[in-house]
């Protein structure tokens, strides 16, 4: 493919049209060879895709806030929910510099493995991702630089948080349409991968559980009325099978098994979050279908600078909405190229959604926004958040030899009710639950039936 030669005479509309034609390839140079050769993306894109100031011809600059007063200048760079939040609900977005160092767009080990293992992945006859010799995947993104919707969703489903194990200490606030916070929760989200392991021993597989993709637990620790409620998902590697779903019910003081396909219901009262929504790929790959690319565009999204070490517990200030409680203080930057993919819930006869639309950052295959649509095709719910290296000036939270990389905050928004769920990753919750990464003890502490019973009775 001949690289597109950028001309400043091209309009923004032409820019989007050319971006669609050359998605995944960069505009000035092929994207993936550029990343592999230089570790950066700066030589692959023109200034108009690396700088809000260049894109808007100086109307909005790095350090500025996007508000209702100037949002029309970047309307084409925002997904529908975020545009609505700014234009109608008082949300502000601070513009930060575009991340051009590719190694800052994910965990170091995961990105290094993506480079090292490129070209070794394939789908087997059943549609599962395997190595050339038919074994479970060995780590990193299996299809780097892909512009294929199924491959992008497959890479995301294989590894949500992109670490071998994560324990996220989280705070959740649920904001009603009138702006009042009517429910608050403390919760722990744990996930551990038995395959594709890059840090934890044994690697790349924990042979005892090599037939499984992940263990995932959600435990609520506050308020008292929900304390101990928990859910354990055990995912088979085969992406046609539903996870086994168990829950601890404090009222009955026992673990019970739940119907595994009921994944479109809030876990607790007031929440706008479903199990299906996790990482925009909360269900097995082949319980959804009709994967397709529907568009390509640059986007303003949060992929850096979201960590707040200035607060001792990493918590974020809030603003916007009727009571100034609706949104976290948010940052965005130019993501020069996203691929917009859709999928339909083919394995769920009673799903309330007809499809989901996900914007993937082509540089690392991570979702930067999602919108779901109801059975009538109307916007239903949306998700946007921010990823970040946990590094700011001299402050760092480390993952071994490198700063931790993860999500920092998320907004879930219901178009039809106006309800917002705010989630943020914090340092620690009462009871000694601390955010941690690649700690093998997470399994015994959080990811077994015995763990659910112990946590529920504390």
């Amino acid at each position: 493919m001949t690289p597109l030669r950028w001309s400043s005479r091209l309009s923004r509309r032409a820019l989007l049209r050319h971006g669609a034609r050359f998605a995944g390839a960069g505009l000035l140079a092929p994207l993936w060879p550029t990343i592999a050769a230089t570790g950066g993306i700066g030589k692959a894109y023109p200034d108009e895709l690396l700088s809000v100031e260049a894109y808007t011809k100086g109307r909005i600059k790095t350090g500025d806030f996007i508000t209702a007063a100037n949002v029309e200048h970047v309307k084409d760079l925002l997904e529908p929910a975020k545009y609505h939040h700014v234009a109608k609900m008082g949300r502000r977005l601070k513009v930060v510099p575009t991340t051009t160092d590719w190694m800052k767009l994910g965990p170091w080990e995961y990105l290094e493995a993506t480079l090292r293992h490129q070209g070794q992945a394939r789908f087997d006859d059943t549609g599962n991702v395997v190595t050339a010799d038919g074994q479970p995947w060995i780590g990193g993104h299996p299809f780097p630089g892909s512009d294929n919707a199924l491959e992008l969703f497959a890479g995301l489903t294989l590894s949500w948080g992109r670490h071998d194990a994560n324990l996220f200490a989280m705070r959740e606030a649920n904001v009603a349409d009138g702006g009042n916070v009517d429910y608050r929760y403390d919760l722990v989200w744990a996930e551990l991968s038995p395959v594709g392991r890059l840090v934890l021993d044994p690697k790349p597989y924990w042979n005892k559980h090599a037939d499984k993709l992940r263990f995932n637990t959600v435990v609520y620790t506050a308020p008292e009325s929900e304390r101990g409620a928990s859910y354990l998902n055990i995912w088979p590697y085969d992406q046609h099978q539903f996870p086994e779903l168990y829950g601890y019910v404090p009222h009955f003081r026992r673990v019970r098994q739940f119907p595994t396909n009921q994944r479109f219901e809030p876990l607790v009262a007031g929440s706008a979050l479903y199990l299906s929504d996790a990482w925009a790929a909360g269900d097995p790959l082949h319980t959804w279908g009709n994967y397709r690319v529907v568009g390509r565009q640059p986007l303003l999204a949060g992929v850096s600078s979201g960590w707040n070490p200035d607060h001792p517990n990493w918590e974020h200030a809030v603003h916007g909405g009727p009571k100034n409680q609706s949104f976290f203080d948010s940052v965005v930057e130019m993501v020069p190229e996203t691929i917009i993919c859709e999928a339909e819930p083919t394995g769920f006869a009673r799903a309330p959604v007809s499809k989901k639309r996900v914007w993937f950052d082509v540089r690392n295959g991570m979702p930067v926004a999602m919108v779901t649509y109801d059975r009538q095709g109307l916007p239903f719910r949306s998700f946007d958040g921010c990823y970040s290296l946990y590094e700011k000036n001299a402050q760092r939270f480390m993952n071994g030899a490198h700063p931790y990389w993860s999500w920092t905050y998320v907004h879930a928004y219901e178009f039809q009710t106006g309800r917002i769920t705010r989630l943020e990753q914090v340092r620690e919750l009462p009871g000694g639950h601390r955010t941690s990464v690649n700690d093998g003890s997470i399994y015994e502490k959080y990811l077994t039936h015995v763990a659910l019973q112990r946590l529920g009775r504390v």
Side-chain angles (χ1 to χ4, degrees):
M1 179 182 294
T2 303
L4 175 68
R5 297 302 176 188
W6 174 254
S7 168
S8 60
R9 292 174 294 176
L10 291 177
S11 67
R12 281 183 290 176
R13 190 173 300 277
L15 168 66
L16 298 178
R17 183 173 68 249
H18 284 298
R21 180 182 174 191
F22 288 91
L27 294 181
L28 296 182
L31 176 61
W32 194 247
T34 299
I35 289 173
T38 69
I41 60 105
K43 294 183 178 180
Y45 295 103
D47 290 344
E48 285 83 346
L49 293 184
L50 296 173
S51 164
V52 173
E53 183 171 4
Y55 183 91
T56 63
K57 301 188 184 304
R59 296 181 180 93
I60 299 175
K61 303 181 293 297
T62 297
D64 288 350
F65 284 88
I66 298 169
T67 67
N70 61 8
V71 69
E72 296 303 318
H73 297 310
V74 291
K75 181 178 181 179
D76 290 340
L77 299 178
L78 297 171
E79 76 278 10
K82 198 180 281 125
Y83 170 75
H84 178 75
H85 295 163
V86 176
K88 304 296 184 182
M89 299 178 67
R91 188 175 178 186
R92 301 187 306 271
L93 307 171
K94 184 177 181 179
V95 179
V96 299
T98 299
T99 301
T100 58
D101 183 346
W102 185 70
M103 294 303 287
K104 293 184 176 180
L105 292 172
W108 183 275
E109 293 84 2
Y110 184 93
L111 295 177
E112 189 277 332
T114 297
L115 289 170
R116 177 160 37 95
H117 296 152
Q118 61 181 310
Q120 299 185 40
R122 63 180 179 88
F123 290 105
D124 67 11
D125 292 341
T126 66
N128 290 301
V129 177
V130 295
T131 60
D133 59 359
Q135 298 302 305
W137 182 236
I138 50 178
H141 199 291
F143 305 110
S146 176
D147 61 359
N148 177 282
L150 179 61
E151 292 180 349
L152 286 165
F153 273 103
L156 178 57
T157 306
L158 278 176
S159 181
W160 285 342
R162 302 202 160 178
H163 296 282
D164 293 354
N166 272 115
L167 182 70
F168 305 127
M170 299 162 57
R171 288 217 149 123
E172 175 180 334
N174 295 284
V175 187
D177 185 40
N180 292 315
V181 177
D182 51 7
Y183 294 92
R184 292 185 185 271
Y185 300 101
D186 288 353
L187 63 149
V188 174
W189 179 286
E191 56 188 58
L192 180 140
S193 299
V195 297
R197 292 153 68 99
L198 300 169
V199 177
L200 291 178
D201 289 322
K203 52 181 180 284
Y205 312 126
W206 184 9
N207 289 329
K208 178 181 177 181
H209 295 294
D211 61 337
K212 301 178 181 67
L213 180 64
R214 73 170 51 86
F215 295 88
N216 167 225
T217 289
V218 185
V219 181
Y220 288 86
T221 64
E224 185 62 29
S225 61
E226 296 293 338
R227 185 173 64 83
S230 56
Y231 302 89
L232 168 63
N233 282 270
I234 303 175
W235 285 56
Y237 193 82
D238 181 358
Q239 290 299 288
H240 297 274
Q241 299 182 38
F242 283 104
E244 298 175 16
L245 177 61
Y246 302 92
Y248 183 80
V249 184
H251 181 73
F252 298 108
R253 299 180 68 82
R254 66 182 179 90
V255 174
R256 57 164 289 196
Q257 188 165 9
F258 291 95
T260 191
N261 60 353
Q262 292 183 2
R263 308 181 70 79
F264 296 90
E265 299 175 0
L267 295 179
V268 287
S271 179
L273 293 166
Y274 303 158
L275 282 174
S276 179
D277 300 324
W279 297 96
D283 305 310
L285 182 67
H286 296 301
T287 63
W288 289 67
N290 298 325
Y291 290 100
R292 57 196 179 273
V293 172
V294 297
R296 299 164 172 90
Q297 67 172 105
L299 199 74
L300 284 169
V303 299
S304 73
S305 306
W307 182 48
N308 185 28
D310 296 332
H311 188 285
N313 204 34
W314 306 343
E315 296 174 27
H316 299 79
V318 296
H319 72 277
K323 302 292 179 64
N324 280 322
Q325 292 290 311
S326 293
F327 305 103
F328 291 122
D329 287 357
S330 305
V331 294
V332 294
E333 65 185 77
M334 284 289 284
V335 176
E337 194 174 6
T338 66
I339 298 180
I340 311 168
C341 300
E342 288 186 351
E344 298 173 12
T346 54
F348 304 89
R350 298 181 180 179
V353 303
S354 61
K355 66 180 180 181
K356 61 183 173 184
R357 178 175 291 177
V358 179
W359 285 254
F360 285 92
D361 185 339
V362 300
R363 300 171 298 177
N364 61 2
M366 287 301 288
V368 289
M370 180 176 84
V371 174
T372 62
Y373 296 81
D374 68 13
R375 286 294 184 181
Q376 287 71 49
L378 299 175
F380 184 38
R381 299 161 71 250
S382 77
F383 295 86
D384 78 84
C386 188
Y387 307 104
S388 187
L389 279 181
Y390 279 51
E391 178 180 40
K392 181 180 180 181
N393 301 324
Q395 301 177 86
R396 290 182 172 185
F397 181 71
M398 300 300 290
N399 168 28
H402 304 284
Y404 178 53
W405 177 93
S406 188
W407 67 278
T408 58
Y409 58 79
V410 173
H411 300 96
Y413 174 68
E414 294 185 344
F415 285 93
Q416 297 168 16
T417 68
R419 175 166 287 276
I420 299 169
T421 290
R422 292 192 276 104
L423 280 172
E424 59 185 333
Q425 187 172 176
V426 299
R427 187 182 191 105
E428 183 175 9
L429 298 173
H433 305 287
R434 289 191 166 201
T435 288
S436 61
V437 57
N438 291 331
D439 179 353
S441 70
I442 289 172
Y443 177 76
E444 296 293 345
K445 291 178 179 177
Y446 293 95
L447 295 167
T448 68
H449 290 198
V450 172
L452 294 194
Q453 293 176 324
R454 183 181 66 253
L455 292 164
R457 293 171 180 171
V458 171

